[in-house]
Amino acid sequence: RHRLLGLLTALWVRTLARLFAGRHADAYGYLTDSMRATVSAAEFAVLADAAGFTLAERRFFWPCCTCLRLVARLT
């Protein structure tokens, strides 16, 4: 959602992949594309609501992670 934060996160992920995956770092190249294609937490909450879930809690973990706790609605 925030362009600068997205760029910094992508750089961080690529750096970690190189550090921890060593010569296999190229295998993790999909991570930044995957993160870019992921819907926002707000969009996900709307999709979850349409699927019968209620958003019970939303927490932001700096620098780039949001945790949603969903509860199934009983009908």
Side-chain angles (χ1 to χ4, degrees):
R1 192 171 151 183
H2 301 284
R3 181 166 280 156
L4 179 59
L5 190 54
L7 290 172
L8 290 173
T9 301
L11 177 63
W12 180 70
V13 168
R14 280 194 299 267
T15 302
L16 282 179
R18 284 190 193 105
L19 287 173
F20 293 111
R23 62 188 172 104
H24 302 290
D26 291 340
Y28 295 91
Y30 72 93
L31 286 174
T32 53
D33 292 336
S34 179
M35 290 184 323
R36 208 174 292 120
T38 302
V39 298
S40 71
E43 292 168 315
F44 188 83
V46 169
L47 293 170
D49 183 68
F53 292 88
T54 299
L55 178 62
E57 183 179 7
R58 179 179 177 169
R59 294 176 126 187
F60 178 73
F61 296 97
W62 195 90
C64 61
C65 183
T66 300
C67 179
L68 303 177
R69 185 169 62 88
L70 304 169
V71 177
R73 285 193 303 266
L74 301 176
T75 56

